[in-house]
Amino acid sequence: KDVERVSFVAAQVKSAEQHADAEALLICKVDVGEEEERTVVAGLAAHMTVEELQGKMAICVANLKPSKMRGVESQGMLLGVEDGENFGGLLEPPQGAKPGDVMKFEGFEVKPDAMMKSKGAVKCFERVV
């Protein structure tokens, strides 16, 4: 039940800007229901404008080990949808969700790892997404 180990939460993109050193990356400030907003570096520049992202609700993977992307630490991952060829937008939480709401999947318990940082946890995450 790998999906139970991943923390999926509703998030709202508060602001976004183009990454100065990477044409494909946007640096987003994201509200995931915590005291401080998180920085999430997302490869969305080819698919969405900064203006389209601002205020948008999405689902964020909130327990990934932070990692640097072109010098900027990313503290999560925004999930998008595609059909194998075309980007279909951000994966949105249900109507009425608020930042920080935990996303649940029918038939699965929610018991995420504190942080997905070990090799086993990373492989678990890769199997889920």
Side-chain angles (χ1 to χ4, degrees), residues 72-124:
V72 177
E73 184 177 86
S74 185
Q75 303 163 322
M77 176 186 289
L78 298 176
L79 298 180
V81 295
E82 65 176 42
D83 65 6
E85 294 179 21
N86 302 304
F87 179 75
L90 291 175
L91 183 60
E92 296 180 17
Q95 191 73 19
K98 298 179 295 306
D101 285 354
V102 175
M103 300 293 104
K104 300 175 183 175
F105 300 90
E106 190 174 323
F108 294 95
E109 292 182 45
V110 177
K111 48 184 178 184
D113 292 13
M115 184 179 295
M116 307 282 290
K117 61 183 180 182
S118 70
K119 286 184 180 179
V122 171
K123 287 192 181 300
C124 162

Side-chain angles (χ1 to χ4, degrees), residues 8-60:
F8 296 99
V9 297
Q12 184 176 34
V13 179
K14 296 306 226 176
S15 65
E17 63 182 271
Q18 180 67 51
H19 191 298
D21 297 328
E23 195 174 291
L25 300 177
L26 298 176
I27 302 170
C28 305
K29 292 294 184 182
V30 179
D31 179 359
V32 293
E34 299 170 341
E35 192 172 315
E36 304 258 335
E37 292 176 351
R38 290 189 184 201
T39 299
V40 175
V41 181
L44 296 170
H47 308 291
M48 300 181 79
T49 66
V50 166
E51 294 78 19
E52 289 172 322
L53 270 174
Q54 292 179 4
K56 191 92 169 142
M57 291 295 292
I59 294 178
C60 180

